[in-house]
Amino acid sequence: MRHRAITTFLCLVLGVLLAPGAGYAAEAASTYVVRPGDTLTQIGLRYGVTAQTLASVNTLSDPSRLTPGQVLKIPRARAALGVPQAQPAASRATQPALLAVYWVRGGDTLYGIAARYGVTADALKEANGLWTDIIVPGQRLDIPARGSAAGLGRRYMPMPQPIPVPPVAFLRTVRTGSVGERIVGEAERYLGIRYVWGAASPRGMDCSGLVYLVFSRFVPSLRRVRSEDYYRMAKPVEAQAILPGDLVFFTTDSPGPSHVGIFIGEGKFIHASSTGSDVTISSLDDPHYGPGFLGVRRIVNPGN
């Protein structure tokens, strides 16, 4: 009897350990109900976990297909990143160290925060994956200890580099009845509206403001953020797979994806242009934008 009880106990333990996603179940922090237009990448960015982890935890056979109303388990970021709960002291000593975590307030500047903590602005940018000096209220900044900026910065994607504009972009046309046609039609409503930096209204807008006004019709939960933030949150798409309704990014007056437009087909994109002072249509091989083409990202699938 005692032998049978021990055997049963061991089987139960092994069953728990070997169950799919068991390592995450104990760390489940919350659940999320999928909304129209959501992607796994966007949801992962919201909770600080990777799309691959979400797919694994929820045993998704096709991570690209989410259904509105679907309930996803969200693991704690600690478990999602595969960080063990306990580490030997020697291993902990090699981890990047933080002096503090700071939440940006109105009126803050990157250089002012750096001076407050006795670090350089460049170290703050490196540790937090920033490509510019621009910060916004509510943004989290990790303040690195001496020598830790590079280690912390590895959490972020490297700065994208310009790539050739794909020839197929000049052959793509809007498919009648597609989501892409609706996106393009919504964007064209704003043609001629004047460029106003930081604005997002029918009276004036900048490049990321145009993206917000257009895509918030399709993704109500979308926030008004900068072009580089849209680059981070949107789904990467191979340049050869570009479709009308996709986002196209460029590096212009500052490093990284500093300008964004909406591809409308036939090699053209619509954008709020600071050089043209209004919402206009330009060619992807325009001498000003073409050399800084960074690629394609997707907020909603325009091919549906």
Side-chain angles (χ1 to χ4, degrees):
M1 181 67 69
R2 182 180 180 185
H3 175 74
R4 180 179 298 175
I6 293 173
T7 301
T8 302
F9 174 75
L10 290 175
C11 289
L12 288 172
V13 171
L14 286 172
V16 171
L17 291 175
L18 296 177
Y24 296 100
E27 291 292 339
S30 61
T31 58
Y32 178 80
V33 179
V34 175
R35 302 175 183 177
D38 275 344
T39 68
L40 211 60
T41 299
Q42 291 172 332
I43 297 169
L45 286 170
R46 184 176 305 172
Y47 288 95
V49 300
T50 66
Q52 292 85 351
T53 295
L54 285 177
S56 174
V57 170
N58 292 278
T59 59
L60 301 179
S61 57
D62 184 358
S64 66
R65 297 181 66 87
L66 296 178
T67 304
Q70 181 179 358
V71 178
L72 296 179
K73 291 181 289 187
I74 309 296
R76 290 195 180 95
R78 183 179 181 87
L81 293 172
V83 179
Q85 296 299 312
Q87 293 178 324
S91 176
R92 284 199 301 269
T94 64
Q95 298 299 311
L98 283 176
L99 284 178
V101 172
Y102 183 81
W103 297 92
V104 177
R105 303 172 184 173
D108 278 338
T109 66
L110 196 71
Y111 290 88
I113 297 169
R116 184 179 308 172
Y117 287 96
V119 299
T120 66
D122 285 342
L124 278 184
K125 290 166 68 174
E126 184 177 14
N128 291 278
L130 303 178
W131 298 319
T132 73
D133 296 338
I134 300 172
I135 53 176
V136 293
Q139 181 178 351
R140 169 183 168 145
L141 289 180
D142 287 345
I143 313 298
R146 185 183 298 275
S148 293
L152 290 167
R154 293 192 190 100
R155 299 168 299 173
Y156 300 93
M157 68 179 73
M159 185 181 297
Q161 299 300 316
I163 61 174
V165 175
V168 71
F170 297 88
L171 304 176
R172 298 289 194 209
T173 57
V174 175
R175 182 168 63 83
T176 303
S178 66
V179 173
E181 182 184 45
R182 292 167 53 202
I183 293 171
V184 171
E186 181 68 22
E188 289 178 339
R189 291 180 53 226
Y190 299 105
L191 281 170
I193 301 297
R194 66 192 182 104
Y195 178 93
V196 178
W197 185 85
S201 82
R203 295 185 298 276
M205 66 195 71
D206 61 9
C207 65
S208 54
L210 173 64
V211 169
Y212 171 73
L213 289 173
V214 170
F215 283 91
S216 59
R217 297 291 186 99
F218 301 87
V219 186
S221 60
L222 189 69
R223 293 180 299 158
R224 165 61 166 104
V225 291
R226 302 167 297 173
S227 58
E228 52 261 48
D229 296 315
Y230 286 129
Y231 184 89
R232 289 182 187 275
M233 73 170 60
K235 178 183 178 181
V237 174
E238 290 292 334
Q240 295 290 338
I242 189 172
L243 290 174
D246 282 333
L247 296 181
V248 285
F249 290 86
F250 308 85
T251 180
T252 52
D253 53 351
S254 60
S258 52
H259 190 65
V260 61
I262 301 169
F263 180 62
I264 62 173
E266 299 180 348
K268 295 181 172 60
F269 68 103
I270 186 170
H271 61 128
S273 168
S274 59
T275 56
S277 299
D278 62 0
V279 177
T280 187
I281 293 174
S282 300
S283 177
L284 287 172
D285 61 359
D286 178 279
H288 179 69
Y289 295 104
F293 179 67
L294 296 179
V296 184
R297 302 267 158 157
R298 183 170 289 171
I299 290 182
V300 298
N301 190 346
N304 290 341

